[in-house]
Structures are given as C-alpha cells and as structure tokens.
Amino acid sequence: MMSHTLSAPIVRRLRGDHISQSPQRRLTVTVIIPCFNYARFLPGAIASALDQRDVDIDVIVVDDSSSDGSLAVARRIAHDDARVQVIAHPHNLGPVAAFNDGLAAASGEFLIRLDADDLLTPGSVARSVALAEKHPQVGMVYGYPVPFSGSAPESHRDRAKFWDIWSGASWLERRCQLGVNCITSPEVLMRASVVDSVGGQRALAHTHDMEMWFRLARYSDVGWVGGCDQALHRDHPDSLSAQQVDVITDLHEREDAFRLLFEDGMGDVSENARLFRLARMALANEALSRTVSAYAKGRGATPETDGYLSFARGLGVDLIGLPASANFSRAERLGPVRSPRSPHLLGWAALYRMTRELGAPVRQSRGI
C-alpha cells in the first residue's frame, strides 16, 4: 500500500454531446496479432477484428514459428479475406519481435496489438477512434477489458458513457507512484504517428507492453472510453504470464521496464530521474509490504523474504521513509516465530491482501 499523498492525475471528463460512438470519417486501423501455438483461438481473434463497424480494418497475423497449425489457420483465413496478411517467422523470436515485425508492415492511421487468445468487443474500435479523432493530442486510447475464462461472454456494454482525457505526464506519474501497469493489451488503440515517433516494443521478457504504454504517455495525452467494454481478455493456464511469472520475477521486470523507459535518453532528463525515483519507491514499498505479509503468515526469514528484501535494498531508495517501513520494522523485531501471533501484523496483512487483490480490477475498471 502506498502513501496517502498520491497526487491526482489531471483529467478532463466529457459527457453527452461531447462524445461519439463512431468517428465522423472512416479511418484505417491495423490490428497486429502475434501468434504462437494459438490455432484454437486465432480465428476468433481475427473475426473480432474484421467484424468491427465504421472503420476500415486490416489485420496482420505474425506467426512466431508455431507448431500447432496456427500458420495454416492464418493462411487459410488470409486466402478468403484480402484484409488479412500473414507474416511467418521461420524460427521462434518471441512476442516483441512478432509485434515489431507486424508494426513494420502496418499502414493504418491507428494500431491495435491483439493477442491471438483475446478478442475485441463489437464496436470497440469505432468508439476508440471516435475519441482519437476529436482529440488529436491523444496518442493512446483504452477502455475496460473484460476478463474471462472458458467461453467468451455473450453480451457486453456497448455504448460509451463518457470520455476521460488525461495529460500524458499526469497519467505516467500516477503509474510511477503505484509502480504497476493498469492495461492488459487488447483494449488499447495507438495513434500510428505517435508510435512512429517513440518506436515499437523493446526487448523485455514480460513487461514490453507496459513499457510501451508508458512511453506513449510520455509523448502524448491518454484517453479512456468509459462505461463500455472494449475488449475480452482471456485468462488460461497456457498463457505466457501464467506459466513463467512469479512475484519476485514480476518485481524485477517492472523495475527493468521503468529503468529502460527513463534511461533511454528520450524526454526531459530531470523529469525522467524524478519519475524513476517515484517508481523505485513504489516497487520498494511493495517488496517491503510483501515481506511483512509473509512474516505475518509464518514465512518470515525464508528465501522468499530474503528475495523481497534484496530487491528492495537494491533499488537505491531510503526504505525508512516508505509507508510499509514501520510494519516491516515490527515484523523484523518480532521475528518469524512471534510475527504470526501479532494481531497488528495479522490485521495489516489481511488488509494488504484485500487491497492487492482488489487493486487490479479497480484500476482496470477506472482506467487509472
């Protein structure tokens, strides 16, 4: 849990006649679909893109040397629909290279990165493009992604109720204050001219999307399409993140994303330093919080807590002034045997768990 002194992002909310469900002109959107062994999901992802209304859609499927017939599925669909293009990797190069190769071939005024196991909701692209058309300073538009497993939901909220326009600087500062991403991926529409300016995805194992969203915000304003469902995000055990990302790995990779972002030589040097410090403080506080929680649950002084503390101490920030420092000192003083019997630590750990579990759904439903 972070300090109560978080600054509010600068936001302008528009309602009623100020918002539209569709753009005034038919604009072109390129949907890039990186695919690796998702033959069973790929037709649905492509169809969810091609079926969008009031925009001109083209799809680029980049097959990353799948072994399950994904390439044949993509080529069959492309044969039947000229709007679909297929790029085939002879060797597996990973999701970053797959997206960037699709990006190099894209020609749309706007871009969407759609994982092959996710779906766009009907009308979502028109709703996003409508905001971007009216607000040319916005380089990234997103909305609520409905999480699901198994069969896709049969209904969704299909009308935008409001638009939020954040200054990119204030949106990015909030992300640094919290140290976490608030976007899955399929719900994002990018302005191609802004992507051309900042570049494609960078070589990060699991936080390449996060770093790109933050880089776009450093360059342009950010828009939120509120009151509707903009994508369907599939949760399943075969996903890359479900298989490979544990807590300590996630902490390190989020730090890698912030470091790459703020030490890339782009943007204002002093502002980059300030924001990077905020991000490191947030990550250190999370590591301390997880340490306290582990002590309260009887897992203190273990390789788990050693990993959290090593990470926090390696960030180069003053741990004493962090919100979780007092409870960490208490847990350290009580030790691994007495900490699980402390009503204070047990109550704090329960509150922290609830806050953590609710945090991601709240961020995704509010956009920030």
Side-chain angles (χ1 to χ4, degrees):
M1 291 179 290
M2 285 301 297
S3 166
H4 61 277
T5 59
L6 294 180
S7 62
I10 300 170
V11 59
R12 183 159 58 105
R13 175 160 292 185
L14 303 171
R15 295 182 181 273
D17 293 340
H18 294 287
I19 71 169
S20 305
Q21 305 301 320
S22 297
Q24 294 182 348
R25 297 175 295 133
R26 288 190 70 89
L27 298 168
T28 304
V29 180
T30 297
V31 179
I32 301 168
I33 306 181
C35 180
F36 177 66
N37 287 346
Y38 277 163
R40 62 197 186 280
F41 299 135
L42 183 59
I46 296 174
S48 77
L50 294 178
D51 291 344
Q52 293 293 315
R53 58 168 175 79
D54 300 333
V55 291
D56 291 328
I57 293 282
D58 63 87
V59 172
I60 300 174
V61 178
V62 185
D63 182 75
D64 198 23
S65 192
S66 296
S67 59
D68 70 341
S70 292
L71 180 58
V73 170
R75 283 175 168 164
R76 184 169 63 250
I77 296 172
H79 179 270
D80 294 335
D81 196 315
R83 294 175 295 170
V84 181
Q85 173 185 352
V86 179
I87 297 173
H89 283 174
H91 308 288
N92 183 265
L93 300 177
V96 171
F99 173 76
N100 286 342
D101 283 352
L103 179 61
S107 58
E109 296 162 87
F110 297 96
L111 306 165
I112 291 173
R113 182 194 183 281
L114 178 64
D115 283 332
D117 54 343
D118 291 335
L119 302 163
L120 299 173
T121 57
S124 62
V125 178
R127 291 190 290 270
S128 291
V129 172
L131 187 157
E133 181 186 43
K134 284 195 175 182
H135 298 275
Q137 80 281 11
V138 170
M140 178 175 76
V141 180
Y142 68 117
Y144 180 62
V146 179
F148 77 100
S149 57
S151 299
E154 295 183 0
S155 62
H156 70 284
R157 298 175 299 163
D158 63 357
R159 288 191 65 81
K161 303 293 179 59
F162 62 91
W163 291 343
D164 283 342
I165 310 294
W166 291 287
S167 73
S170 65
W171 187 92
L172 179 56
E173 179 165 348
R174 173 56 66 93
R175 303 272 49 87
C176 294
Q177 290 173 329
L178 296 175
V180 294
N181 192 9
C182 63
I183 294 174
T184 54
S185 179
E187 68 271 29
V188 177
L189 176 90
M190 297 169 275
R191 193 180 297 275
S193 60
V194 176
V195 175
D196 287 344
S197 297
V198 305
Q201 291 187 336
R202 291 169 169 173
L204 292 160
H206 301 288
T207 51
H208 44 271
D209 288 350
M210 167 181 159
E211 190 275 337
M212 187 171 186
W213 312 142
F214 295 0
R215 192 161 15 109
L216 289 167
R218 190 173 59 181
Y219 191 90
S220 64
D221 288 348
V222 177
W224 167 263
V225 182
C228 54
D229 301 324
Q230 289 295 88
L232 304 177
H233 177 64
R234 190 187 306 267
D235 294 320
H236 61 96
D238 295 332
S239 69
L240 186 63
S241 58
Q243 293 184 52
Q244 299 183 12
V245 183
D246 57 20
V247 173
I248 195 66
T249 299
D250 179 56
L251 285 168
H252 279 286
E253 293 192 358
R254 276 186 276 151
E255 189 219 348
D256 288 344
F258 282 115
R259 184 177 299 279
L260 186 57
L261 174 67
F262 292 124
E263 295 185 351
D264 65 358
M266 299 171 64
D268 180 81
V269 173
S270 61
E271 180 65 359
N272 283 344
R274 185 184 74 84
L275 292 175
F276 189 25
R277 181 175 179 276
L278 286 178
R280 297 199 313 274
M281 290 173 63
L283 293 172
N285 190 69
E286 180 180 339
L288 284 190
S289 298
R290 289 183 178 276
T291 301
V292 175
S293 181
Y295 266 84
K297 296 173 183 177
R299 304 196 308 269
T302 62
E304 177 189 4
T305 55
D306 290 346
Y308 294 149
L309 290 174
S310 176
F311 172 77
R313 288 166 176 158
L315 290 171
V317 299
D318 179 12
L319 303 185
I320 300 300
L322 297 178
S325 62
N327 285 307
F328 168 67
S329 297
R330 184 190 295 262
E332 202 171 39
R333 184 173 65 253
L334 290 174
V337 175
R338 290 194 296 160
S339 287
R341 299 197 294 267
S342 166
H344 177 88
L345 291 183
L346 286 171
W348 185 92
L351 179 61
Y352 175 68
R353 177 181 178 181
M354 181 179 67
T355 303
R356 192 177 70 241
E357 290 178 350
L358 291 176
V362 169
R363 286 190 295 272
Q364 289 180 355
S365 65
R366 296 179 178 174
I368 192 69

